[in-house]
Amino acid sequence: MALPVAFFAVFFAWPVAAIVARGLKVDGAWQWGRMAGVVTQPDIRHVLWFTTWQALASTALTLLLALPAAHVFARFDFPGKQLLRAVVTVPFVLPTVVVGTAFLALVGHNGLLDELWGVRLDTTVWAILLAHVFFNYAVVVRTVGGLWAQLDPRQEQAARMLGASPLRAWRKVTLPALAPAVAAAALMVFLFTFTSFGVVQILGGPTFSTVEVEIYRQTSEVFDLSTAAVLTLVQFVAVGAILAVHAWTVRRRESALRLVDPKVTARRPRGAGQWALLAGVLVTIALLLVLPLAVLVRRSLDAPGLGYYRALTDADGGTFLVAPLHSVWTSLEYAVAATAIAVTVGGLAAAALARRDAGRLVRGFDALLMLPLGVSAVTVGFGFLIALDEPPLDLRQSWILVPLAQALVGAPFVVRTMLPVLRAVDERLREAAAVLGASPWRVWREVDLPLVGRAFLIAAGFAFAVSLGEFGATVFIARPDNPTLPVAVARLLSRPGDLNYGQAMALSTILMVVCAAALLLLERLRTDRTGEF
């Protein structure tokens, strides 16, 4: 635990504490009364209210649209199921900037709906809600569908034989068993939408703002660190409460996981009703998930002769000091470094947490590992600039600053992927190897590593995809001569002109292809023992 604790203390707790202290300390004295003054401001109350209700609405809409798909993937077997599973998961690993850009190409000015019917949704909250459903659809499908596939269908069949209708059998038998997974998925969707930044930044414009967007605005535009610090603390408390409830629901879910082999519960659809359900899910996936990405690709090809892609090779001397295409190689280099850091830190943390003799303090660190996913990435990024600005850790001019911030987001995914597999390793195998004279290092190399090797590769793939798309912290610390792909897309979208817009679409398409390729590789490596996420 030494390295993971040190990593999170130095590169997460310290920067967050530094930015909060900078905002709430005046002449060495804490100004706690400032908090009440900030949260009672009408505009801040409006931001807090919008953040909360849009997260609730996004969560409800996601559950409504994704639960039928969870049933289809859990109970039906049909051609192309594995490919469709990968397609469903692609949006989850896409950067929020790409998601916002895709929906801008669909519902924004000169978007597909505007061209066909003169309809624009980018000035309404519906664009944000639909983009959030697009992004979090896979969370419900994977989390709920993973448990649903392991439920013994004979329990529901027994209720049917005793006279219960299909709806009542599902409500009385299946739904109670699924409740922990549904609650866990709903809490995760609420967490991701409550802290939404890139989607709201692009689609919300000046009309809509979440707490995360407001922190960014107060920090980089208004330069009011006091208000930003108060909002950071408010978000921190809210996220902590959400994660505490999520940890409780996950513990309940884990007690019900080991039921039946998922391979024996799936069968081909039977009857008109099941085929209609499958068709409805396929149509929903096509319209909600595939169409925005297809429109994004089409808009990137509007210029004759791949003009927008060719323009990416030119440095304009304005916003970019290098050609926009250079951000592709920069992002790949940063993502590789961030992945190495994330799998090292996350792998060690997972190994410590998986030990059966781990103390309560070590187990409590498991919940803390999730905090970087919910705490303002904007705060972390700006905190890097404030906290890491003097020896022995003056990293403001160092290239490693960006991979460190990206690794903070990737490490929790490594832990969540590797921990179930490490816990499943039979302790008697380690004990037998030790009795035969193997050192602890050799026990790990000969026993654990062969069993968790595939999970390790999957964890590395997720960390790579997540690092590639990190935006909230990177937007603060990426240097002008080395922008990452998400930062380059955001800068292009902030500039007027069709060429800049087309280049943003082209860069987003490139980023989407790289993330999708990584995900398809993950899907080939995925095993049932490694979990769904």
Side-chain angles (χ1 to χ4, degrees), residues 38-39 41-49 214 218 227 231:
V38 169
V39 297
Q41 295 176 13
D43 55 338
I44 298 300
R45 288 206 311 268
H46 176 74
V47 169
L48 293 173
W49 168 243
E214 189 63 21
Q218 295 289 339
T227 299
L231 291 176

Side-chain angles (χ1 to χ4, degrees), residues 54-64 140 185-187 189-191 193:
Q54 67 81 25
L56 290 171
S58 298
T59 302
L61 191 59
T62 303
L63 290 174
L64 178 65
V140 177
L187 284 168
V189 173
F190 183 85
L191 173 65
T193 53

Side-chain angles (χ1 to χ4, degrees), residues 53-54 63 65 86-87 126 147 183 207 352 363 397 491 527:
W53 85 257
Q54 67 81 25
L63 290 174
L65 295 175
V87 170
W126 281 105
L147 177 58
T207 307
R363 292 194 300 269
Q397 302 300 319
R491 289 180 183 175
T527 64

Side-chain angles (χ1 to χ4, degrees), residues 166-234:
L167 178 60
R168 187 179 184 189
W170 181 83
R171 183 166 53 88
K172 292 292 186 179
V173 178
T174 304
L175 184 58
L178 287 176
V182 173
L187 284 168
M188 289 306 297
V189 173
F190 183 85
L191 173 65
F192 290 139
T193 53
F194 186 84
T195 58
S196 180
F197 176 60
V199 167
V200 181
Q201 177 81 350
I202 293 175
L203 296 176
T207 307
F208 303 107
S209 178
T210 58
V211 172
E212 186 86 356
V213 174
E214 189 63 21
I215 291 173
Y216 175 77
R217 191 179 73 85
Q218 295 289 339
T219 303
S220 63
E221 298 177 10
V222 183
F223 303 108
D224 187 350
L225 292 185
S226 179
T227 299
V230 171
L231 291 176
T232 296
L233 289 177
V234 170

Side-chain angles (χ1 to χ4, degrees), residues 197-399:
F197 176 60
V199 167
V200 181
Q201 177 81 350
I202 293 175
L203 296 176
T207 307
F208 303 107
S209 178
T210 58
V211 172
E212 186 86 356
V213 174
E214 189 63 21
I215 291 173
Y216 175 77
R217 191 179 73 85
Q218 295 289 339
T219 303
S220 63
E221 298 177 10
V222 183
F223 303 108
D224 187 350
L225 292 185
S226 179
T227 299
V230 171
L231 291 176
T232 296
L233 289 177
V234 170
Q235 182 166 301
F236 185 84
V237 172
V239 167
I242 295 169
L243 290 177
V245 177
H246 179 262
W248 177 71
T249 59
V250 167
R251 284 196 298 270
R252 289 184 61 198
R253 179 188 169 207
E254 286 179 345
S255 65
L257 272 177
R258 300 171 182 86
L259 299 173
V260 297
D261 186 350
K263 296 178 181 179
V264 304
T265 63
R267 54 179 174 79
R268 291 184 65 83
R270 299 174 183 173
Q274 293 187 357
W275 281 108
L277 177 61
L278 176 58
V281 168
L282 293 177
V283 170
T284 301
I285 292 174
L287 294 179
L288 181 65
L289 305 184
V290 178
L291 181 60
L293 300 180
V295 172
L296 174 66
V297 176
R298 186 188 72 83
R299 293 303 300 268
S300 73
L301 299 173
D302 278 351
L306 300 177
Y308 292 143
Y309 288 91
R310 291 205 311 270
L312 295 177
T313 61
D314 300 327
D316 58 12
T319 302
F320 294 100
L321 300 180
V322 294
L325 191 61
H326 180 72
S327 63
V328 176
W329 313 118
T330 301
S331 289
L332 292 175
E333 292 170 353
Y334 284 160
V336 169
T339 300
I341 298 171
V343 296
T344 301
V345 173
L348 289 173
L353 293 169
R355 291 180 61 89
R356 289 171 174 79
D357 58 350
R360 182 175 299 178
L361 183 62
V362 173
R363 292 194 300 269
F365 187 65
D366 189 13
L368 296 179
L369 291 172
M370 295 290 289
L371 281 177
L373 296 181
V375 173
S376 170
V378 172
T379 300
V380 174
F382 195 54
F384 268 35
L385 298 180
I386 292 177
L388 307 178
D389 64 341
E390 58 184 7
L393 281 177
D394 186 0
L395 302 177
R396 287 177 300 173
Q397 302 300 319
S398 174
W399 67 273

Side-chain angles (χ1 to χ4, degrees), residues 117-131:
W117 299 294
V119 176
R120 289 182 57 185
L121 298 178
D122 58 327
T123 57
T124 70
V125 73
W126 281 105
I128 295 174
L129 296 181
L130 290 175

